Amino acid sequence: MRELIAGELIAARERTARLTDCVEDHDLTAQHSPLMSPLVWDLAHIGNQEELWLLRNVAGRDPMHPEIDPLYDAFEHPRSERPTLPLLPPAEARAYAHEVRGRVLDLLEASPLEGTRLLTDGFAFGLIAQHEQQHDETMLITHQLRRGPVALTSPPPPAPVGADRLPPEVLVPAGPFTMGTDTEPWALDNERPAHQVELPAFRLDTTPVSNAAYQRFIADGGYDEPRWWTPEGWKHRLQAGLVAPLFWTEEGGQWLRRRFGVVEPVPPQEPVLHVSWYEADAYARWAGRRLPTEAEWEKAARFDPVSGRSRRFPWGDASPGPEHANLGQRHLQPAPVGSYPDGGSAHGARQLIGDVWEWTASDFLPYPGFRAWPYREYSEVFFGPEYKVLRGGSFAVAPVACRGTFRNWDYPIRRQIFSGFRTACSVEGD
Ligand SMILES: [Fe+2]
């Protein structure tokens, strides 16, 4: 367990370094979008949360620099305000995070992994490894929003074989399944507790919606037809002037997209990316379908009708490997639809984990029996109808921060995130 924890902490820090060493200091301190913090804020915030949870709460140590705590409290200053704060400059932010990490690795060697709820199964360490990886995804979004020379590169994902022969949708029969978890040691409070959910039969797209399919929606005037949109969605579509996914531009009748500083033709077979919930919902209605509920998504991803139990992942209980899913920023884009046959679910759906976060129809709400842990600000303060749930994780999510039970949430207007979707429909007569 100690080795596994150390490995996750080190992997997260290597990724943080890749994301922050590839640009000059002025790019770290600049604000590339009012939606995002300067990268240097994330860097010191990662160290500050690690110090708070592991050195202070677990080990009972005194704060190292109490004067900087308020600067890095995500609830005290909205992202747009953070560049005006007296933040640690890049070299000092790196040194602080490095100093904390050294002390944490010493603590990990000496500390029992039982006795308190924070220590049991290394929960607090797992929380911190996930937290750093979540900020790495946030920093990757900042890179996507940043203008300027290309800083990050990676090979494209491998092309799928026989994807054109896949059935367009899979059937998930009616019946109960276990949603959420009591047993996943590093699952966060909002994934708990496990509970039975009874669902009618439904059909779900085998893969996420592709750019080619989404372009048909655009070409068919989908952005000009209020009937496909909810009233709030249509209002937002007009106000924000939406005509296509974020980062898309049309030139000479061809759609181009900007991806980490590179402008390229929109690849037709890739899952559509950078769409808001409103756009996903409008597309689904145009297609004569709807977004899946969160429970439908999880049942399609986890339920094994043969054993009657819910798996950790669509393919089984094994942790994600490169053969299962496009995770961990191995590639800087989603894989073409129909990829990863070894990552398919019991019902035959593909790419439920990795590639793109998938919008669901559901509001972010607590499961029956929810208890906030280890702090209310992780999930509880966000519960309510203003947030929609996203599932499955994107290519930018690390395996440690990804599970069949993992829940993400955001405003329905958000689209700088790595968001896509798939559609569903109810089965007649059920
Ligand atoms: Fe954070």
Side-chain angles (χ1 to χ4, degrees):
M1 177 60 87
R2 270 175 238 281
E3 221 167 280
L4 185 136
I5 293 169
E8 291 296 353
L9 290 172
I10 290 164
R13 188 53 49 88
E14 284 172 356
R15 185 174 172 200
T16 304
R18 271 204 305 284
L19 287 160
T20 49
D21 292 349
C22 63
V23 287
E24 303 289 336
D25 279 7
H26 64 83
D27 260 335
L28 295 176
T29 52
Q31 186 167 44
H32 298 287
S33 157
L35 296 171
M36 309 305 288
S37 315
L39 291 165
V40 77
W41 184 90
D42 290 280
L43 190 55
H45 167 80
I46 286 168
N48 190 243
Q49 287 288 301
E50 185 164 333
E51 189 207 336
L52 181 70
W53 283 100
L54 297 178
L55 299 181
R56 297 189 223 173
N57 291 355
V58 168
R61 310 246 177 98
D62 288 334
M64 287 162 66
H65 305 287
E67 71 284 0
I68 66 167
D69 286 350
L71 301 177
Y72 297 106
D73 180 335
F75 286 88
E76 263 193 54
H77 306 282
R79 285 175 175 177
S80 56
E81 233 178 60
R82 291 174 192 167
T84 64
L85 303 172
L87 300 176
L88 295 180
E92 286 165 45
R94 280 195 186 94
Y96 168 58
H98 183 74
E99 174 69 28
V100 171
R101 177 52 58 85
R103 296 184 193 192
V104 161
L105 291 175
D106 290 344
L107 172 70
L108 175 63
E109 277 198 19
S111 132
L113 297 179
E114 58 185 10
T116 69
R117 199 165 158 204
L118 275 178
L119 279 171
T120 301
D121 297 321
F123 177 83
F125 293 95
L127 180 73
I128 285 306
Q130 291 181 73
H131 178 258
E132 181 159 355
Q133 289 282 8
Q134 285 163 345
H135 275 275
D136 289 342
E137 181 177 16
T138 305
M139 288 195 277
L140 194 63
I141 295 169
T142 306
H143 272 279
Q144 169 61 16
L145 288 161
R146 173 186 153 267
R147 294 289 188 156
V150 172
L152 293 166
T153 55
S154 82
V161 178
D164 49 341
R165 293 193 298 273
L166 287 173
E169 57 184 12
V170 300
L171 171 70
V172 181
F177 87 107
T178 302
M179 186 173 185
T181 179
D182 295 327
T183 52
E184 193 66 47
W186 292 356
L188 302 162
D189 58 1
N190 63 51
E191 298 165 68
R192 304 167 188 267
H195 57 289
Q196 288 281 109
V197 175
E198 178 88 31
L199 290 178
F202 63 97
R203 293 181 202 279
L204 184 72
D205 291 344
T206 306
T207 68
V209 170
S210 70
N211 285 325
Y214 199 82
Q215 276 174 272
R216 287 196 286 277
F217 167 65
I218 299 175
D220 196 39
Y223 278 87
D224 305 318
E225 277 282 357
R227 66 181 158 145
W228 306 134
W229 301 69
T230 61
E232 308 78 51
W234 183 247
K235 201 170 136 210
H236 176 68
R237 131 88 191 94
L238 293 178
Q239 265 170 6
L242 306 183
V243 293
L246 187 58
F247 307 114
W248 284 30
T249 49
E250 198 180 13
E251 243 177 63
Q254 188 189 25
W255 283 106
L256 306 174
R257 69 162 182 198
R258 181 166 60 83
R259 182 177 63 86
F260 299 106
V262 178
V263 177
E264 56 192 13
V266 168
Q269 291 315 310
E270 220 173 77
V272 68
L273 185 63
H274 297 300
V275 285
S276 62
W277 185 90
Y278 289 134
E279 290 164 294
D281 176 69
Y283 171 97
R285 209 163 292 120
W286 167 80
R289 296 168 71 84
R290 57 177 174 79
L291 293 177
T293 65
E294 183 183 13
E296 286 172 337
W297 188 96
E298 186 167 325
K299 187 177 183 187
R302 297 184 61 212
F303 184 64
D304 173 7
V306 174
S307 66
R309 60 179 276 277
S310 292
R311 302 166 167 177
R312 292 181 68 211
F313 294 98
W315 54 86
D317 293 338
S319 293
E323 72 279 23
H324 293 126
N326 180 9
L327 289 168
Q329 201 188 309
R330 257 197 332 275
H331 309 292
L332 285 169
Q333 67 208 87
V337 295
S339 295
Y340 298 102
D342 294 345
S345 74
H347 298 99
R350 295 209 182 161
Q351 292 166 291
L352 285 156
I353 295 289
D355 292 302
V356 293
W357 284 107
E358 297 183 18
W359 286 112
T360 71
S362 301
D363 297 338
F364 185 48
L365 296 172
Y367 291 159
F370 168 85
R371 303 271 296 274
W373 166 258
Y375 59 116
R376 284 190 69 241
E377 287 74 17
Y378 184 74
S379 312
E380 195 175 11
V381 298
F382 298 101
F383 287 140
E386 63 268 49
Y387 292 100
K388 297 293 181 189
V389 172
L390 300 110
R391 286 303 206 100
S394 71
F395 63 91
V397 169
V400 71
C402 190
R403 292 171 286 279
T405 55
F406 192 93
R407 308 174 75 196
N408 188 8
W409 64 94
D410 218 324
Y411 291 117
I413 64 167
R414 282 283 183 260
R415 55 187 209 153
Q416 85 276 12
I417 56 175
F418 301 117
S419 51
F421 64 101
R422 72 181 76 207
T423 69
C425 66
S426 303
V427 173
E428 288 290 314
D430 185 84

